[in-house]
Amino acid sequence: MADKQTATSKEMLQVESVIGRILQVGVIFSAIVMAIGLGLFLITGKSGYPGTMVPRQMGLILQGTWQLKPYAIMMLGVYCLILTPVLRVVVSIYAFYKERDHLYVAITTLVLFILMVALFIGVHG
């Protein structure tokens, strides 16, 4: 029994480490992407879009990023930053499932559902 608890404790420490790493990498990656977009904007002096248009739909952001449009690249960085905690919630669901903590699996799944609804509303108005 003690060996099983020790194995579970070690696994939970690994999961917590993974969660921390996800948050670190997500924030650093987002900052780099946003800095690249800002750098392109400062170098070219252009947003890549007419007037005050800013891409907000993922399709437009990806298309603009492929075309190296500064505002699209910065928006991609913002989206990555927004999605970082969502990924953390997904990993937490897995961690609680491995602990057999069904209450927290349910609560965290509800949190994920709420986040997804909020993202959907934010994207589609």
Side-chain angles (χ1 to χ4, degrees), residues 42-80:
L42 293 174
I43 290 168
T44 64
K46 298 179 182 177
S47 70
Y49 294 95
T52 60
M53 181 188 168
V54 176
R56 291 191 175 93
Q57 296 176 332
M58 187 52 76
L60 292 175
I61 291 170
L62 293 176
Q63 181 181 16
T65 300
W66 183 253
Q67 297 169 349
L68 296 178
K69 294 183 177 182
Y71 275 15
I73 295 170
M74 287 188 277
M75 286 301 292
L76 180 64
V78 169
Y79 269 69
C80 289

mmCIF file of all heavy atoms in Angstrom, residues 42-80:
data_model
loop_
_atom_site.group_PDB
_atom_site.id
_atom_site.type_symbol
_atom_site.label_atom_id
_atom_site.label_comp_id
_atom_site.label_asym_id
_atom_site.label_seq_id
_atom_site.Cartn_x
_atom_site.Cartn_y
_atom_site.Cartn_z
ATOM 1 N N LEU A 42 7.458 47.642 -35.943
ATOM 2 C CA LEU A 42 8.366 48.777 -35.779
ATOM 3 C C LEU A 42 9.296 48.935 -36.983
ATOM 4 O O LEU A 42 9.628 50.061 -37.367
ATOM 5 C CB LEU A 42 9.171 48.623 -34.486
ATOM 6 C CG LEU A 42 8.360 48.710 -33.188
ATOM 7 C CD1 LEU A 42 9.245 48.403 -31.990
ATOM 8 C CD2 LEU A 42 7.712 50.078 -33.050
ATOM 9 N N ILE A 43 9.703 47.822 -37.580
ATOM 10 C CA ILE A 43 10.594 47.883 -38.744
ATOM 11 C C ILE A 43 9.867 48.391 -39.981
ATOM 12 O O ILE A 43 10.360 49.262 -40.699
ATOM 13 C CB ILE A 43 11.225 46.496 -39.012
ATOM 14 C CG1 ILE A 43 12.231 46.165 -37.910
ATOM 15 C CG2 ILE A 43 11.896 46.452 -40.386
ATOM 16 C CD1 ILE A 43 12.703 44.721 -37.919
ATOM 17 N N THR A 44 8.675 47.842 -40.231
ATOM 18 C CA THR A 44 7.938 48.201 -41.455
ATOM 19 C C THR A 44 7.081 49.446 -41.274
ATOM 20 O O THR A 44 6.787 50.141 -42.251
ATOM 21 C CB THR A 44 7.019 47.045 -41.902
ATOM 22 O OG1 THR A 44 6.020 46.816 -40.915
ATOM 23 C CG2 THR A 44 7.820 45.783 -42.163
ATOM 24 N N GLY A 45 6.641 49.712 -40.071
ATOM 25 C CA GLY A 45 5.749 50.834 -39.835
ATOM 26 C C GLY A 45 4.328 50.566 -40.285
ATOM 27 O O GLY A 45 3.496 51.461 -40.317
ATOM 28 N N LYS A 46 4.052 49.313 -40.650
ATOM 29 C CA LYS A 46 2.721 48.960 -41.144
ATOM 30 C C LYS A 46 2.185 47.767 -40.361
ATOM 31 O O LYS A 46 2.927 46.870 -39.985
ATOM 32 C CB LYS A 46 2.776 48.608 -42.626
ATOM 33 C CG LYS A 46 3.223 49.760 -43.492
ATOM 34 C CD LYS A 46 3.281 49.369 -44.944
ATOM 35 C CE LYS A 46 3.777 50.555 -45.767
ATOM 36 N NZ LYS A 46 3.917 50.215 -47.165
ATOM 37 N N SER A 47 0.864 47.757 -40.184
ATOM 38 C CA SER A 47 0.233 46.657 -39.460
ATOM 39 C C SER A 47 -0.002 45.452 -40.348
ATOM 40 O O SER A 47 -0.167 44.340 -39.868
ATOM 41 C CB SER A 47 -1.099 47.113 -38.882
ATOM 42 O OG SER A 47 -2.050 47.320 -39.927
ATOM 43 N N GLY A 48 -0.042 45.697 -41.651
ATOM 44 C CA GLY A 48 -0.365 44.629 -42.593
ATOM 45 C C GLY A 48 -1.836 44.624 -42.954
ATOM 46 O O GLY A 48 -2.273 43.823 -43.773
ATOM 47 N N TYR A 49 -2.604 45.531 -42.356
ATOM 48 C CA TYR A 49 -4.046 45.611 -42.596
ATOM 49 C C TYR A 49 -4.435 47.055 -42.862
ATOM 50 O O TYR A 49 -3.801 47.981 -42.354
ATOM 51 C CB TYR A 49 -4.816 45.064 -41.388
ATOM 52 C CG TYR A 49 -4.603 43.594 -41.193
ATOM 53 C CD1 TYR A 49 -3.634 43.130 -40.314
ATOM 54 C CD2 TYR A 49 -5.337 42.663 -41.906
ATOM 55 C CE1 TYR A 49 -3.405 41.777 -40.148
ATOM 56 C CE2 TYR A 49 -5.122 41.311 -41.755
ATOM 57 C CZ TYR A 49 -4.153 40.874 -40.873
ATOM 58 O OH TYR A 49 -3.930 39.525 -40.731
ATOM 59 N N PRO A 50 -5.516 47.256 -43.627
ATOM 60 C CA PRO A 50 -5.951 48.630 -43.910
ATOM 61 C C PRO A 50 -6.589 49.283 -42.684
ATOM 62 O O PRO A 50 -7.276 48.624 -41.900
ATOM 63 C CB PRO A 50 -6.985 48.442 -45.026
ATOM 64 C CG PRO A 50 -7.475 47.046 -44.877
ATOM 65 C CD PRO A 50 -6.315 46.254 -44.321
ATOM 66 N N GLY A 51 -6.334 50.571 -42.535
ATOM 67 C CA GLY A 51 -6.966 51.339 -41.461
ATOM 68 C C GLY A 51 -6.664 50.801 -40.084
ATOM 69 O O GLY A 51 -5.525 50.492 -39.746
ATOM 70 N N THR A 52 -7.714 50.650 -39.298
ATOM 71 C CA THR A 52 -7.564 50.180 -37.924
ATOM 72 C C THR A 52 -7.976 48.721 -37.759
ATOM 73 O O THR A 52 -8.225 48.269 -36.646
ATOM 74 C CB THR A 52 -8.395 51.052 -36.969
ATOM 75 O OG1 THR A 52 -9.772 50.976 -37.361
ATOM 76 C CG2 THR A 52 -7.928 52.498 -36.990
ATOM 77 N N MET A 53 -8.043 47.986 -38.854
ATOM 78 C CA MET A 53 -8.453 46.586 -38.786
ATOM 79 C C MET A 53 -7.438 45.752 -38.005
ATOM 80 O O MET A 53 -6.239 45.914 -38.171
ATOM 81 C CB MET A 53 -8.603 45.993 -40.186
ATOM 82 C CG MET A 53 -9.047 44.556 -40.176
ATOM 83 S SD MET A 53 -8.999 43.847 -41.821
ATOM 84 C CE MET A 53 -9.205 42.139 -41.415
ATOM 85 N N VAL A 54 -7.963 44.899 -37.154
ATOM 86 C CA VAL A 54 -7.135 43.955 -36.397
ATOM 87 C C VAL A 54 -7.779 42.578 -36.563
ATOM 88 O O VAL A 54 -8.972 42.425 -36.336
ATOM 89 C CB VAL A 54 -7.084 44.324 -34.893
ATOM 90 C CG1 VAL A 54 -6.304 43.279 -34.114
ATOM 91 C CG2 VAL A 54 -6.484 45.696 -34.698
ATOM 92 N N PRO A 55 -7.004 41.569 -36.992
ATOM 93 C CA PRO A 55 -7.603 40.235 -37.169
ATOM 94 C C PRO A 55 -7.992 39.631 -35.825
ATOM 95 O O PRO A 55 -7.214 39.653 -34.877
ATOM 96 C CB PRO A 55 -6.483 39.429 -37.833
ATOM 97 C CG PRO A 55 -5.231 40.090 -37.364
ATOM 98 C CD PRO A 55 -5.577 41.550 -37.237
ATOM 99 N N ARG A 56 -9.213 39.116 -35.761
ATOM 100 C CA ARG A 56 -9.674 38.521 -34.507
ATOM 101 C C ARG A 56 -10.088 37.068 -34.665
ATOM 102 O O ARG A 56 -10.215 36.358 -33.680
ATOM 103 C CB ARG A 56 -10.833 39.344 -33.936
ATOM 104 C CG ARG A 56 -10.375 40.701 -33.448
ATOM 105 C CD ARG A 56 -11.446 41.412 -32.646
ATOM 106 N NE ARG A 56 -10.939 42.657 -32.108
ATOM 107 C CZ ARG A 56 -11.059 43.830 -32.704
ATOM 108 N NH1 ARG A 56 -11.656 43.913 -33.865
ATOM 109 N NH2 ARG A 56 -10.575 44.911 -32.138
ATOM 110 N N GLN A 57 -10.328 36.645 -35.879
ATOM 111 C CA GLN A 57 -10.714 35.247 -36.117
ATOM 112 C C GLN A 57 -9.462 34.431 -36.373
ATOM 113 O O GLN A 57 -8.530 34.891 -37.035
ATOM 114 C CB GLN A 57 -11.671 35.145 -37.296
ATOM 115 C CG GLN A 57 -12.990 35.843 -37.047
ATOM 116 C CD GLN A 57 -13.881 35.805 -38.271
ATOM 117 O OE1 GLN A 57 -13.398 35.747 -39.396
ATOM 118 N NE2 GLN A 57 -15.183 35.833 -38.053
ATOM 119 N N MET A 58 -9.458 33.208 -35.857
ATOM 120 C CA MET A 58 -8.253 32.381 -35.943
ATOM 121 C C MET A 58 -7.809 32.167 -37.389
ATOM 122 O O MET A 58 -6.617 32.193 -37.683
ATOM 123 C CB MET A 58 -8.477 31.040 -35.237
ATOM 124 C CG MET A 58 -7.229 30.208 -35.142
ATOM 125 S SD MET A 58 -5.784 31.027 -34.435
ATOM 126 C CE MET A 58 -6.177 31.042 -32.724
ATOM 127 N N GLY A 59 -8.749 31.987 -38.291
ATOM 128 C CA GLY A 59 -8.386 31.801 -39.701
ATOM 129 C C GLY A 59 -7.640 32.998 -40.256
ATOM 130 O O GLY A 59 -6.628 32.846 -40.952
ATOM 131 N N LEU A 60 -8.133 34.194 -39.962
ATOM 132 C CA LEU A 60 -7.470 35.415 -40.420
ATOM 133 C C LEU A 60 -6.112 35.595 -39.751
ATOM 134 O O LEU A 60 -5.156 36.063 -40.375
ATOM 135 C CB LEU A 60 -8.352 36.634 -40.147
ATOM 136 C CG LEU A 60 -9.636 36.750 -40.960
ATOM 137 C CD1 LEU A 60 -10.459 37.948 -40.494
ATOM 138 C CD2 LEU A 60 -9.321 36.857 -42.435
ATOM 139 N N ILE A 61 -6.036 35.229 -38.480
ATOM 140 C CA ILE A 61 -4.765 35.351 -37.760
ATOM 141 C C ILE A 61 -3.717 34.409 -38.358
ATOM 142 O O ILE A 61 -2.587 34.808 -38.618
ATOM 143 C CB ILE A 61 -4.964 35.080 -36.251
ATOM 144 C CG1 ILE A 61 -5.778 36.212 -35.632
ATOM 145 C CG2 ILE A 61 -3.626 34.917 -35.542
ATOM 146 C CD1 ILE A 61 -6.235 35.945 -34.224
ATOM 147 N N LEU A 62 -4.105 33.169 -38.604
ATOM 148 C CA LEU A 62 -3.155 32.207 -39.182
ATOM 149 C C LEU A 62 -2.757 32.615 -40.594
ATOM 150 O O LEU A 62 -1.587 32.515 -40.973
ATOM 151 C CB LEU A 62 -3.754 30.805 -39.152
ATOM 152 C CG LEU A 62 -3.954 30.209 -37.752
ATOM 153 C CD1 LEU A 62 -4.647 28.852 -37.853
ATOM 154 C CD2 LEU A 62 -2.645 30.097 -37.003
ATOM 155 N N GLN A 63 -3.721 33.066 -41.382
ATOM 156 C CA GLN A 63 -3.417 33.512 -42.742
ATOM 157 C C GLN A 63 -2.482 34.721 -42.705
ATOM 158 O O GLN A 63 -1.500 34.782 -43.447
ATOM 159 C CB GLN A 63 -4.708 33.865 -43.470
ATOM 160 C CG GLN A 63 -4.512 34.311 -44.901
ATOM 161 C CD GLN A 63 -5.845 34.683 -45.556
ATOM 162 O OE1 GLN A 63 -6.853 34.883 -44.882
ATOM 163 N NE2 GLN A 63 -5.841 34.773 -46.861
ATOM 164 N N GLY A 64 -2.771 35.678 -41.828
ATOM 165 C CA GLY A 64 -1.920 36.856 -41.707
ATOM 166 C C GLY A 64 -0.537 36.528 -41.177
ATOM 167 O O GLY A 64 0.455 37.131 -41.589
ATOM 168 N N THR A 65 -0.462 35.567 -40.271
ATOM 169 C CA THR A 65 0.842 35.138 -39.754
ATOM 170 C C THR A 65 1.680 34.530 -40.869
ATOM 171 O O THR A 65 2.871 34.812 -40.991
ATOM 172 C CB THR A 65 0.656 34.130 -38.600
ATOM 173 O OG1 THR A 65 -0.077 34.757 -37.555
ATOM 174 C CG2 THR A 65 1.992 33.664 -38.061
ATOM 175 N N TRP A 66 1.052 33.705 -41.692
ATOM 176 C CA TRP A 66 1.745 33.083 -42.825
ATOM 177 C C TRP A 66 2.267 34.155 -43.777
ATOM 178 O O TRP A 66 3.313 33.999 -44.396
ATOM 179 C CB TRP A 66 0.795 32.120 -43.531
ATOM 180 C CG TRP A 66 1.428 31.383 -44.653
ATOM 181 C CD1 TRP A 66 1.225 31.589 -45.987
ATOM 182 C CD2 TRP A 66 2.382 30.323 -44.563
ATOM 183 N NE1 TRP A 66 1.988 30.735 -46.718
ATOM 184 C CE2 TRP A 66 2.716 29.942 -45.872
ATOM 185 C CE3 TRP A 66 2.991 29.670 -43.500
ATOM 186 C CZ2 TRP A 66 3.618 28.928 -46.149
ATOM 187 C CZ3 TRP A 66 3.901 28.663 -43.778
ATOM 188 C CH2 TRP A 66 4.195 28.300 -45.079
ATOM 189 N N GLN A 67 1.523 35.270 -43.880
ATOM 190 C CA GLN A 67 1.911 36.375 -44.763
ATOM 191 C C GLN A 67 2.809 37.396 -44.051
ATOM 192 O O GLN A 67 3.118 38.454 -44.590
ATOM 193 C CB GLN A 67 0.652 37.067 -45.300
ATOM 194 C CG GLN A 67 -0.195 36.165 -46.153
ATOM 195 C CD GLN A 67 -1.568 36.764 -46.464
ATOM 196 O OE1 GLN A 67 -1.968 37.770 -45.887
ATOM 197 N NE2 GLN A 67 -2.278 36.133 -47.376
ATOM 198 N N LEU A 68 3.198 37.081 -42.815
ATOM 199 C CA LEU A 68 4.076 37.928 -41.992
ATOM 200 C C LEU A 68 3.491 39.317 -41.735
ATOM 201 O O LEU A 68 4.202 40.319 -41.748
ATOM 202 C CB LEU A 68 5.470 38.038 -42.607
ATOM 203 C CG LEU A 68 6.267 36.736 -42.703
ATOM 204 C CD1 LEU A 68 7.605 36.978 -43.377
ATOM 205 C CD2 LEU A 68 6.466 36.130 -41.322
ATOM 206 N N LYS A 69 2.186 39.374 -41.471
ATOM 207 C CA LYS A 69 1.546 40.634 -41.116
ATOM 208 C C LYS A 69 1.725 40.843 -39.611
ATOM 209 O O LYS A 69 1.338 39.985 -38.810
ATOM 210 C CB LYS A 69 0.065 40.607 -41.482
ATOM 211 C CG LYS A 69 -0.166 40.544 -42.985
ATOM 212 C CD LYS A 69 -1.637 40.583 -43.323
ATOM 213 C CE LYS A 69 -1.842 40.586 -44.822
ATOM 214 N NZ LYS A 69 -3.272 40.673 -45.177
ATOM 215 N N PRO A 70 2.333 41.971 -39.227
ATOM 216 C CA PRO A 70 2.665 42.185 -37.814
ATOM 217 C C PRO A 70 1.494 42.043 -36.845
ATOM 218 O O PRO A 70 1.635 41.403 -35.794
ATOM 219 C CB PRO A 70 3.218 43.618 -37.797
ATOM 220 C CG PRO A 70 3.785 43.805 -39.164
ATOM 221 C CD PRO A 70 2.856 43.055 -40.068
ATOM 222 N N TYR A 71 0.342 42.642 -37.153
ATOM 223 C CA TYR A 71 -0.790 42.551 -36.223
ATOM 224 C C TYR A 71 -1.255 41.103 -36.056
ATOM 225 O O TYR A 71 -1.630 40.695 -34.963
ATOM 226 C CB TYR A 71 -1.956 43.422 -36.703
ATOM 227 C CG TYR A 71 -1.874 44.876 -36.284
ATOM 228 C CD1 TYR A 71 -0.696 45.433 -35.796
ATOM 229 C CD2 TYR A 71 -2.973 45.702 -36.375
ATOM 230 C CE1 TYR A 71 -0.621 46.758 -35.427
ATOM 231 C CE2 TYR A 71 -2.919 47.033 -36.003
ATOM 232 C CZ TYR A 71 -1.739 47.553 -35.531
ATOM 233 O OH TYR A 71 -1.674 48.870 -35.161
ATOM 234 N N ALA A 72 -1.225 40.334 -37.138
ATOM 235 C CA ALA A 72 -1.642 38.934 -37.052
ATOM 236 C C ALA A 72 -0.682 38.151 -36.161
ATOM 237 O O ALA A 72 -1.114 37.313 -35.356
ATOM 238 C CB ALA A 72 -1.706 38.311 -38.447
ATOM 239 N N ILE A 73 0.593 38.425 -36.293
ATOM 240 C CA ILE A 73 1.588 37.721 -35.467
ATOM 241 C C ILE A 73 1.403 38.082 -33.995
ATOM 242 O O ILE A 73 1.440 37.203 -33.125
ATOM 243 C CB ILE A 73 3.016 38.031 -35.962
ATOM 244 C CG1 ILE A 73 3.203 37.456 -37.380
ATOM 245 C CG2 ILE A 73 4.062 37.471 -35.004
ATOM 246 C CD1 ILE A 73 4.472 37.883 -38.071
ATOM 247 N N MET A 74 1.161 39.361 -33.723
ATOM 248 C CA MET A 74 0.930 39.760 -32.329
ATOM 249 C C MET A 74 -0.341 39.115 -31.775
ATOM 250 O O MET A 74 -0.364 38.672 -30.624
ATOM 251 C CB MET A 74 0.860 41.285 -32.219
ATOM 252 C CG MET A 74 2.217 41.951 -32.364
ATOM 253 S SD MET A 74 2.195 43.723 -32.016
ATOM 254 C CE MET A 74 1.646 44.377 -33.586
ATOM 255 N N MET A 75 -1.387 39.034 -32.588
ATOM 256 C CA MET A 75 -2.634 38.406 -32.144
ATOM 257 C C MET A 75 -2.435 36.907 -31.909
ATOM 258 O O MET A 75 -3.024 36.336 -30.996
ATOM 259 C CB MET A 75 -3.757 38.642 -33.147
ATOM 260 C CG MET A 75 -4.303 40.058 -33.120
ATOM 261 S SD MET A 75 -4.965 40.553 -31.517
ATOM 262 C CE MET A 75 -6.388 39.505 -31.403
ATOM 263 N N LEU A 76 -1.594 36.266 -32.716
ATOM 264 C CA LEU A 76 -1.285 34.855 -32.489
ATOM 265 C C LEU A 76 -0.623 34.683 -31.121
ATOM 266 O O LEU A 76 -0.949 33.751 -30.376
ATOM 267 C CB LEU A 76 -0.378 34.309 -33.599
ATOM 268 C CG LEU A 76 0.002 32.838 -33.471
ATOM 269 C CD1 LEU A 76 -1.235 31.951 -33.585
ATOM 270 C CD2 LEU A 76 1.040 32.467 -34.522
ATOM 271 N N GLY A 77 0.274 35.595 -30.779
ATOM 272 C CA GLY A 77 0.902 35.558 -29.459
ATOM 273 C C GLY A 77 -0.111 35.726 -28.341
ATOM 274 O O GLY A 77 -0.052 35.031 -27.324
ATOM 275 N N VAL A 78 -1.085 36.607 -28.539
ATOM 276 C CA VAL A 78 -2.130 36.815 -27.536
ATOM 277 C C VAL A 78 -2.978 35.551 -27.393
ATOM 278 O O VAL A 78 -3.287 35.118 -26.280
ATOM 279 C CB VAL A 78 -3.011 38.035 -27.900
ATOM 280 C CG1 VAL A 78 -4.244 38.106 -27.022
ATOM 281 C CG2 VAL A 78 -2.204 39.323 -27.803
ATOM 282 N N TYR A 79 -3.348 34.950 -28.506
ATOM 283 C CA TYR A 79 -4.144 33.718 -28.449
ATOM 284 C C TYR A 79 -3.372 32.603 -27.746
ATOM 285 O O TYR A 79 -3.949 31.850 -26.955
ATOM 286 C CB TYR A 79 -4.554 33.265 -29.856
ATOM 287 C CG TYR A 79 -5.884 33.815 -30.301
ATOM 288 C CD1 TYR A 79 -6.049 35.164 -30.571
ATOM 289 C CD2 TYR A 79 -6.988 32.997 -30.442
ATOM 290 C CE1 TYR A 79 -7.254 35.687 -30.966
ATOM 291 C CE2 TYR A 79 -8.210 33.498 -30.843
ATOM 292 C CZ TYR A 79 -8.341 34.846 -31.101
ATOM 293 O OH TYR A 79 -9.543 35.352 -31.488
ATOM 294 N N CYS A 80 -2.085 32.484 -28.031
ATOM 295 C CA CYS A 80 -1.275 31.468 -27.340
ATOM 296 C C CYS A 80 -1.250 31.726 -25.842
ATOM 297 O O CYS A 80 -1.339 30.789 -25.045
ATOM 298 C CB CYS A 80 0.150 31.454 -27.900
ATOM 299 S SG CYS A 80 0.277 30.785 -29.563
#
